Amino acid sequence: MARTSPTEFFRQVRVEMGKIVWPTSRETMMTTLMVVLLTGTLGIFFFGIDTFFGWVVKMLLGLATGGQG
């Protein structure tokens, strides 16, 4: 494996950093909004599923214990 001098390494880093395309502030805000909306929607969805299955388990346990408890 060829060794790279520190000077050459930092030169290559600068060249690669010049290739980076940074998002605009509008793109950043839109992406942030989408992430917040989707995580909120999924949170509500999984809360509903969890509540439903909790209810099902309680009903089944109630049947198994004869309805007492």
Side-chain angles (χ1 to χ4, degrees):
M1 180 167 81
R3 287 197 158 270
T4 304
S5 70
T7 305
E8 179 64 18
F9 173 76
F10 285 112
R11 188 189 70 73
Q12 291 175 1
V13 168
R14 248 189 357 202
V15 168
E16 290 301 319
M17 288 201 47
K19 296 178 183 178
I20 296 173
V21 178
W22 296 100
T24 64
S25 60
R26 178 172 164 71
E27 290 172 333
T28 303
M29 288 303 295
M30 292 302 291
T31 302
T32 301
L33 180 63
M34 290 304 295
V35 168
V36 169
L37 287 174
L38 287 174
T39 54
T41 301
L42 284 172
I44 292 168
F45 172 75
F46 285 119
F47 175 76
I49 294 294
D50 185 58
T51 302
F52 171 73
F53 282 118
W55 175 79
V56 169
V57 168
K58 280 184 183 179
M59 291 295 119
L60 291 174
L61 289 174
L63 289 173
T65 60
Q68 300 172 359

